[in-house]
Amino acid sequence: MEWQQIIGFYHVANLRSFTKAAGATFRTQSALTQQIKALEEELDCPLFERIGKRKLLLTPQGERFLAFSQAVLAQYDGLLEELNELKGLQKGRLKLAAPFTTLYHLLSDTLADFIKQFPHVELSLFDRSQHNVIDLVKNGEIDFGIALESMVPQDLQKIRWKKVEPVLLIPQGHPLGRVKRVSMRRIAQYPLILPPKSSEYTGRRRLEELFQKYNLNYRMIMESSNVELSSLYVEKGLGISFATIVTDLPLFKSRKLEYIPLHHYFEPEYISVLIRKDKVFTSFKSGFLNILLGKSDIMKFSPPD
């Protein structure tokens, strides 16, 4: 088994495409195909199931080999970082994934400080949905993920970062802005901008349950998976919307928006940093967490046992 075979298989398995994987590994498709074929012959089992001309699925053996290849590549990256650390070099790679709104509003200052403090570390950022963030952390493809605490599975380590509160977004001057304690009955009287009906957006399910509980009909004028998009159309007067936000953000200072707390219907949430429990920490990865969490001592954060 050769190193390039493991890398080639990893990319084919993740991209579900020989063509895309060939581009990612800077090899020809025929060379990559021959690599995988030789690997399957050595292991004496098929790793992929080819359905038609376009669909590529992992076999059970392929799923197991993917887990192996992920672990090997993660250990290799960790080894390089540890060797650099032993040489006194703050050099390596830090990979972080978070939803768009978190990247846009919450991380820019942290990342700027990190780059200044660790200029030789290669930083890679990924704009992903919360479910995708969790999958990337689980698979060892990124170092840190950021998502709502309630979504984090038990097999991942989570560190609380920021409190977020459920609110109703309304345009400035909206009639609901004069109501001290807004009810679902009043909310249902206006066009609503809602998250999609999907297991990924648990807020929509909770809203549906409340409308059913109070036997209310409502009119949805728009589905939006992005709070930035929703807030834009709220500001334009298209409808009102729901969000979980860090309430001290400057989002509303420069916008014609107001928010109404909904803590009488929903519990506060927390944004957390997600980490694999077996994660090996170099000093610059601990340093990133210390900057993010507002620690003054760069080595104050220590990884979980």
Side-chain angles (χ1 to χ4, degrees), residues 12 46-47 70 82 91 94 127 164 166 184 208 215 228 237 287:
V12 174
L47 299 175
Q70 288 170 336
E82 288 180 49
K91 187 177 179 181
L94 188 144
D127 168 17
V164 292
M184 294 302 294
E208 297 278 1
N215 195 28
E228 291 298 324

Side-chain angles (χ1 to χ4, degrees), residues 238-257:
L238 184 72
I240 59 178
S241 186
F242 299 86
T244 51
I245 63 170
V246 179
T247 53
D248 60 356
L249 279 179
L251 172 66
F252 303 103
K253 294 180 180 178
S254 59
R255 303 279 300 276
K256 296 178 180 179
L257 289 169

Side-chain angles (χ1 to χ4, degrees), residues 94-108 110-111 123-138 142-153 156-164 200 246 269-276 288-289 291-293:
L94 188 144
K95 292 174 281 188
L96 168 75
F100 170 84
T101 302
T102 301
L103 288 170
Y104 188 80
H105 285 294
L106 300 178
L107 280 171
S108 58
T110 294
L111 296 173
L123 185 63
S124 297
L125 304 176
F126 301 90
D127 168 17
R128 296 291 187 270
S129 70
Q130 294 190 87
H131 278 285
N132 286 338
V133 168
I134 291 168
D135 288 340
L136 289 171
V137 175
K138 276 188 171 184
I142 59 174
D143 299 298
F144 305 114
I146 297 179
L148 285 176
E149 185 176 273
S150 60
M151 299 183 68
V152 182
L156 293 179
Q157 173 75 12
K158 57 190 176 185
I159 304 170
R160 278 187 177 179
W161 179 34
K162 288 185 178 291
K163 184 179 180 180
V164 292
E200 184 169 342
V246 179
E269 268 272 25
Y270 291 89
I271 300 174
S272 290
V273 183
L274 286 59
I275 314 167
R276 276 175 61 117
F288 171 79
L289 285 177
I291 295 170
L292 182 73
L293 301 173

Side-chain angles (χ1 to χ4, degrees), residues 161-177:
W161 179 34
K162 288 185 178 291
K163 184 179 180 180
V164 292
E165 297 186 31
V167 300
L168 182 72
L169 291 180
I170 60 173
Q172 284 183 356
H174 193 278
L176 288 180

